[in-house]
Amino acid sequence: QVYLEESGGGSVQTGDSLRLTCVVSGYPSSTYCMGWWRQAPGKEREGVTFMRKSDGQLYYTDSVKGRFTIHQDPANYTLYLQMTNLQPEDTAMYICAADPSCTWMTAIQTLGFMHPNEYNFWGRGTQVTVSS
């Protein structure tokens, strides 16, 4: 079992930056992928980015490439999402998640986007609101 707790969300202006933090407990193994999803009101949950623990391979959805950076601090079991040049369309609940078998990587290769499954672990989310 993996437990995830996010923090760092807030209300910002267009062009501002935020850093989200996810404290991870449960010691996910190297088979895991760790990542961030987001869900805006009335929309489906969208995979934003993930990191494969075994080799550090990264994935970003096209809309955040060049603006968002995922990284981790293994010593503190913490995952971060650094977000820069935020836009109103980035407004959403941001959710930290863990995928025990890194099926997100398979989904990228077969579907072209991250796809959740019943085995994923999810945090409760932190709200990010970007005003124009």
Side-chain angles (χ1 to χ4, degrees), residues 42-114:
K43 294 188 176 181
E44 291 189 358
R45 190 169 292 188
E46 174 192 24
V48 177
T49 178
F50 70 84
M51 171 186 292
R52 186 162 64 182
K53 287 178 63 64
S54 61
D55 59 5
Q57 186 168 348
L58 305 177
Y59 165 82
Y60 296 94
T61 194
D62 285 347
S63 62
V64 307
K65 285 180 180 177
R67 300 189 299 122
F68 290 13
T69 303
I70 185 173
H71 62 103
Q72 65 174 345
D73 181 350
N76 295 320
Y77 298 99
T78 304
L79 188 71
Y80 300 97
L81 181 63
Q82 179 68 50
M83 305 185 295
T84 63
N85 191 22
L86 283 161
Q87 302 296 311
E89 52 266 34
D90 295 317
T91 294
M93 180 72 75
Y94 283 74
I95 306 160
C96 181
D99 181 359
S101 301
C102 205
T103 60
W104 299 337
M105 185 64 73
T106 303
I108 294 300
Q109 295 166 346
T110 58
L111 302 174
F113 55 88
M114 292 169 66

Side-chain angles (χ1 to χ4, degrees), residues 1-6 22-28 32 34 77 96-98 121-124:
Q1 184 74 23
V2 173
Y3 299 93
L4 309 157
E5 184 171 0
E6 308 93 335
C22 175
V23 177
V24 183
S25 59
Y27 307 104
Y32 275 65
M34 304 295 299
Y77 298 99
C96 181
F121 297 101
W122 303 92
R124 293 187 176 184

